Amino acid sequence: MRPISRRTALASAATLTATGLLASCGGAGGGTDTDEQVENPDENINAEGMPIVKEPITLTMMTRRSPNTAEDWNNVASMKLMQEQSNIEIDWGHIPWEQASEKRNLALASGDYPEIIHRTAMNSVDIAKYGEQGTLVRLNDAIDTYMPNLTAILAENPDFRAGLTFPDGNIYSLPTIYDPEFQSLNMQQKLWIRQDWLDEVDMDAPETLDEFEACLEAFQQADPAGGGKTIPFTTGSETLWIDILRSSFGVGNRGTAAGQIDADEGGRVRFWPASEQYRELIAYVSRLYSKKLVQQDVFGTDSATFNNLGKEGLLGAAATQAPSAFFTKGVGENYVSLAPMKKTDADEVPAWTMVGSGLQSIGQWVVTDKIEHLVESCRWMDYFYGDEGARLFFMGIEGESYEQTGDGEYDFTEKITDNPDGLTVDEALRPYVTYLGGSYPGIVKEAYFKGTESSAQARKGTEAVAPYKIDEVWPVFTFTAEEAAELSAITVDLTKLVSESRAKFITGEMSVDNDWEKYVSQFQQIGIDRYLEIQQAAYDRFKG
């Protein structure tokens, strides 16, 4: 029999006025109802271990479902086992992947939303807005009291807690966390070059920008792919081939999550697309493009096109996670990862800036003021921030989808890796796990995550850049609702100007020599000073 919820009990209490009841439903400060749940948990709850509750309960969610996953997650083996051991049933409330933001925002605006909003990647703007309104419940005390796995991670990584905390001091959401020890995940994108082509043109792996350019020119002239089809350098997006070189110029020096801000020499927040170092980067890649050393339609490319070019063996240098994961067998294995390249021989090896924050999308799990089982839901979610939960989430059922190997590690069974029905790994995993497609709360550990980033080539490639990793990596900062609204409006215009001008500079439609000052002056008109003022305030709060 399902226990009576606090919400039902409170609603039936004659002494509570309508106003009092509304005040008890969460609020920006946590509300008396949710505070009461944390301070005086229901007798049905077990404080630790499994099952989480003595008598079954149900949690209602709105969950974005990737088309790569099963249609009904209650039939997925890992979630069935979680229900059995926790005594908690989940009403997933699936919504289509591509409509998640729209449906979530409509539900929140109408007031017709569930207890938990799950895997919709709510951005910090909306978290601030609905947190300050009281629609989202603050989780600080629940985390500290009932989420030991997450609490341990936050204690070991104070920057994670700072990155989750909003200006009012509250934590309103739970994130995806990349284990800081999982280096090939936190430094996913690298610059690769074909070693067999280097051998063919009798050159060593480049260590400077000039040497890299010389290698590309040698590939162009030797045409190892044949028939004039050789593409010296490209990638699967219109910006990654540029970003992968930014370490050499010292821009983006606080990592990839920080976006278009980093730190100047004095440690203050800088908008790096307006910096002199960025100008040098654009001048360099513009020269590569003008010499046709870069795929000429790179600004209209996509990952599918890039992968096909790689499979055909046409690419000399490429920015990607691991070529062997995407290119034809026998081709992808020929690539080696490059260390960050120096500007000149006289320079020191620069810091590697293509480093992601271990604190990933922070809005993957939010609890609304309709929550009836706050402690139970937090205990349920905390399981996936620990080893047992991470293994269940990413690998499924021991003895069926995975097994422990002789060296004490874990790997998929042949049923997954060499499926007798000819299914791909993802297809074979679909009945066992729900992580496929990404965007989930929990922790991603190398021991249990078997994606591209865990491959031997990805790990080997990371060894080339890891010794030079930047020391300070910023997450996405948090803002007040007022700051977020103002910043969002300015950012749209800044990003548009950067994007449009970047392509024009590189293709020669604009001149780095003649048009740069005009480009920079436009940032003032958009509001760059206010943008930096807000970002600096957010950074100062982050640093405490």
Side-chain angles (χ1 to χ4, degrees):
M1 177 180 175
R2 182 176 172 180
I4 296 175
S5 70
R6 279 189 176 78
R7 189 170 305 278
T8 303
L10 288 173
S12 65
T15 56
L16 284 179
T17 65
T19 301
L21 179 59
L22 288 173
S24 77
C25 292
T32 56
D33 186 25
T34 50
D35 286 347
E36 175 69 14
Q37 290 189 49
V38 173
E39 294 170 7
N40 297 295
D42 195 291
E43 293 182 358
N44 189 47
I45 301 170
N46 291 314
E48 58 185 22
M50 292 289 182
I52 294 173
V53 290
K54 302 177 181 71
E55 296 295 329
I57 64 168
T58 298
L59 299 176
T60 63
M61 300 185 187
M62 171 184 285
T63 303
R64 179 171 60 164
R65 185 187 74 83
S66 166
N68 296 324
T69 63
E71 291 189 9
D72 184 355
W73 288 6
N74 284 315
N75 291 329
V76 174
S78 59
M79 294 300 102
K80 287 175 67 176
L81 179 57
M82 183 58 179
Q83 178 180 332
E84 291 169 5
Q85 64 185 16
S86 68
N87 230 1
I88 294 177
E89 184 176 345
I90 305 297
D91 179 354
W92 296 103
H94 287 309
I95 55 175
W97 185 263
E98 66 280 358
Q99 299 174 22
S101 295
E102 177 186 0
K103 288 188 174 294
R104 180 194 67 219
N105 293 338
L106 284 173
L108 288 168
S110 68
D112 184 19
Y113 50 83
E115 296 175 282
I116 296 160
I117 299 175
H118 181 215
R119 295 181 70 164
T120 70
M122 185 181 288
N123 61 45
S124 59
V125 175
D126 287 338
I127 296 172
K129 172 183 175 181
Y130 290 109
E132 289 183 16
Q133 289 179 3
T135 302
L136 303 185
V137 171
R138 73 176 184 92
L139 301 172
N140 307 48
D141 295 339
I143 291 171
D144 293 341
T145 309
Y146 295 104
M147 302 189 73
N149 291 322
L150 179 58
T151 296
I153 295 170
L154 299 182
E156 293 172 6
N157 303 276
D159 282 358
F160 291 1
R161 181 178 283 274
L164 280 173
T165 304
F166 279 74
D168 61 5
N170 291 328
I171 295 174
Y172 294 108
S173 62
L174 301 183
T176 305
I177 290 177
Y178 288 175
D179 184 356
E181 299 300 316
F182 195 171
Q183 295 204 90
S184 58
L185 181 64
N186 288 292
M187 291 176 276
Q188 294 184 32
Q189 305 291 351
K190 291 170 278 289
L191 179 58
W192 304 81
I193 196 164
R194 280 193 68 158
Q195 181 63 55
D196 56 338
W197 285 16
L198 288 173
D199 295 340
E200 186 172 335
V201 299
D202 195 26
M203 300 180 78
D204 294 325
E207 297 180 355
T208 69
L209 293 173
D210 286 344
E211 290 175 0
F212 180 63
E213 187 173 351
C215 286
L216 300 184
E217 290 177 328
F219 293 163
Q220 184 183 61
Q221 294 166 10
D223 189 21
K229 294 182 178 180
T230 296
I231 299 174
F233 178 34
T234 194
T235 189
S237 81
E238 63 181 53
T239 58
L240 180 56
W241 68 280
I242 304 167
D243 289 338
I244 209 72
L245 296 169
R246 70 190 197 183
S247 300
S248 301
F249 298 88
V251 296
N253 58 47
R254 291 300 183 267
T256 58
Q260 297 179 127
I261 60 169
D262 66 359
D264 63 18
E265 292 183 356
R268 292 190 62 79
V269 173
R270 172 181 72 165
F271 183 69
W272 57 260
S275 68
E276 184 61 27
Q277 291 93 331
Y278 179 69
R279 176 179 178 172
E280 294 176 4
L281 168 59
I282 292 298
Y284 178 75
V285 296
S286 178
R287 185 168 74 243
L288 297 184
Y289 187 87
S290 69
K291 292 182 176 182
K292 295 183 170 55
L293 301 178
V294 179
Q295 179 187 354
Q296 292 297 281
D297 59 350
V298 66
F299 290 105
T301 194
D302 56 28
S303 59
T305 301
F306 169 69
N307 291 340
N308 286 333
L309 293 172
K311 290 174 182 177
E312 293 175 27
L314 307 183
L315 308 181
T320 187
Q321 295 166 304
S324 61
F326 306 107
F327 301 167
T328 305
K329 186 173 178 62
V331 173
E333 291 80 2
N334 288 319
Y335 289 83
V336 293
S337 176
L338 298 179
M341 292 182 290
K342 302 178 290 185
K343 284 186 179 179
T344 69
D345 280 323
D347 296 322
E348 294 183 357
V349 178
W352 183 246
T353 68
M354 291 293 288
V355 183
S357 169
L359 182 67
Q360 288 293 302
S361 177
I362 68 171
Q364 297 294 6
W365 171 278
V366 295
V367 177
T368 75
D369 58 0
K370 295 187 179 182
I371 190 70
E372 296 188 7
H373 301 287
L374 176 60
V375 171
E376 298 93 321
S377 68
C378 287
R379 285 212 57 217
W380 186 92
M381 188 60 244
D382 189 58
Y383 185 70
F384 297 102
Y385 286 104
D387 279 89
E388 288 184 9
R391 189 162 62 245
L392 177 69
F393 187 68
F394 290 110
M395 304 198 75
I397 307 300
E398 186 169 8
E400 294 185 34
S401 55
Y402 78 91
E403 58 193 358
Q404 192 167 15
T405 61
D407 54 8
E409 296 186 356
Y410 297 90
D411 207 347
F412 290 130
T413 61
E414 288 188 2
K415 181 178 182 180
I416 304 299
T417 59
D418 189 17
N419 186 267
D421 298 322
L423 301 178
T424 65
V425 170
D426 282 2
E427 289 170 342
L429 275 175
R430 194 170 297 161
Y432 293 98
V433 298
T434 61
Y435 82 88
L436 302 168
S439 192
Y440 41 73
I443 188 167
V444 187
K445 292 194 168 189
E446 189 170 4
Y448 315 124
F449 182 75
K450 302 300 178 181
T452 298
E453 298 85 355
S454 295
S455 69
Q457 189 181 52
R459 294 198 303 270
K460 179 67 176 176
T462 303
E463 293 176 3
V465 298
Y468 310 103
K469 180 174 75 77
I470 53 176
D471 293 327
E472 185 175 354
V473 180
W474 291 348
V476 176
F477 296 143
T478 58
F479 307 93
T480 66
E482 183 179 353
E483 286 174 337
E486 190 175 359
L487 189 68
S488 180
I490 299 173
T491 301
V492 169
D493 292 335
L494 290 178
T495 301
K496 181 180 179 182
L497 176 58
V498 171
S499 179
E500 291 178 350
S501 300
R502 177 177 55 232
K504 291 178 180 178
F505 279 130
I506 292 171
T507 59
E509 187 176 341
M510 290 170 61
S511 166
V512 175
D513 293 328
N514 301 326
D515 298 317
W516 185 261
E517 295 305 321
K518 179 181 178 181
Y519 159 73
V520 171
S521 69
Q522 292 178 76
F523 291 122
Q524 291 296 132
Q525 301 168 22
I526 292 172
I528 189 66
D529 289 342
R530 179 56 180 155
Y531 173 90
L532 288 173
E533 183 181 358
I534 295 172
Q535 294 280 13
Q536 184 67 48
Y539 172 63
D540 291 342
R541 290 192 297 261
F542 170 74
K543 292 299 288 184

